[in-house]
Amino acid sequence: MPTATNDVGVRRSRADRVYRSRWFLPAFALVLGGGMLAAMWVGGSLREGLYSFALMAGLAFLFLLGGRSETIRGLRGDGRDERFAMIDTRATAFAGSVVIGTLIVAWLVEVARGHSGQPYAWLGAIAGLAYLVGIGILRWRS
Amino acid sequence: MQNDVRALRTAKSFSQEDLARALGVSRQTINSIEKERYTPSLPLALALARFFETTVEEVFHANGNE
């Protein structure tokens, strides 16, 4: 087999290397589960917190051991190549659009019912501002 | 974008897995390129051309401009 570069020329940052580690997503799921447990415990719902932690730990286990699935390896990070990064970006944009659309509809419904529209107005404003900041930064960097 | 990746690969008796491993991408990405569902980035297109010891223009063809 002719030798070809393993690296297609894209330099990876340290953060990117961490993000692409197979341990990142399982660790994130465990930390999130721990946060949910702590929050629910403080809120007086220890049993629900333990269920949530068990669910997140199971998800972490699935991510860690699901090595043959392209989807799991891509989500986990270590199987993420440029095509999966594109899929991830588009999926994130789709999810963001759905959330923003939902916020707008929820805000309109709340206003129509005579309420203030909170917290949907603030969340929508944050989403819009984040989008504008993102456009500005990405324009500046590219 | 139309391409000759499958023809070049099979001419050298490589599997998609071999090519994917050499280029540091997934086998599914090679499959998507061969089926023209995914247009690779310029670095990956260059790496593919180098792998097959040819040029990008010989591997990829703009639609209707072969």
Side-chain angles (χ1 to χ4, degrees):
Chain A
M1 182 186 303
T3 53
T5 176
N6 240 354
D7 184 345
V8 294
V10 177
R11 198 177 295 168
R12 289 179 190 152
S13 66
R14 187 174 176 179
D16 195 33
R17 285 198 300 274
V18 170
Y19 187 57
R20 288 173 63 120
S21 158
R22 67 172 300 184
W23 297 99
F24 176 78
L25 199 58
F28 179 77
L30 269 183
V31 169
L32 185 59
M36 291 161 74
L37 171 60
M40 290 183 190
W41 193 356
V42 169
S45 308
L46 178 59
R47 179 178 289 187
E48 287 81 356
L50 287 170
Y51 285 145
S52 301
F53 181 74
L55 184 70
M56 295 306 287
L59 203 59
F61 197 64
L62 179 72
F63 277 127
L64 196 59
L65 298 183
R68 288 193 59 82
S69 159
E70 185 206 16
T71 305
I72 288 182
R73 284 189 296 118
L75 286 170
R76 196 169 60 194
D78 58 321
R80 177 169 299 218
D81 60 8
E82 62 171 47
R83 175 174 147 271
F84 204 94
M86 179 200 71
I87 292 169
D88 180 58
T89 301
R90 290 184 180 176
T92 303
F94 173 72
S97 300
V98 169
V99 170
I100 290 170
T102 304
L103 284 176
I104 291 170
V105 171
W107 174 68
L108 288 172
V109 168
E110 284 297 290
V111 169
R113 292 169 69 186
H115 299 148
S116 68
Q118 299 299 345
Y120 305 111
W122 275 111
L123 292 171
I126 290 169
L129 191 63
Y131 177 76
L132 292 176
V133 168
I135 289 284
I137 290 173
L138 292 171
R139 268 198 63 199
W140 178 61
R141 290 181 58 181
S142 61
Chain B
M1 179 172 281
Q2 293 175 349
N3 67 75
D4 297 330
V5 171
R6 183 184 296 274
L8 289 164
R9 177 179 61 77
T10 53
K12 295 201 174 208
S13 303
F14 294 142
S15 67
Q16 290 183 341
E17 189 71 46
D18 294 334
L19 184 55
R21 197 173 297 122
L23 297 172
V25 296
S26 68
R27 187 194 62 76
Q28 289 86 352
T29 293
I30 298 298
N31 188 49
S32 290
I33 292 170
E34 289 185 356
K35 291 191 170 176
E36 299 168 5
R37 289 196 310 248
Y38 174 66
T39 301
S41 68
L42 183 57
L44 181 53
L46 286 167
L48 271 165
R50 286 195 193 118
F51 184 86
F52 291 120
E53 298 169 333
T54 183
T55 61
V56 171
E57 291 89 340
E58 292 295 321
V59 181
F60 295 94
H61 315 284
N63 291 341
N65 189 26
E66 290 183 90

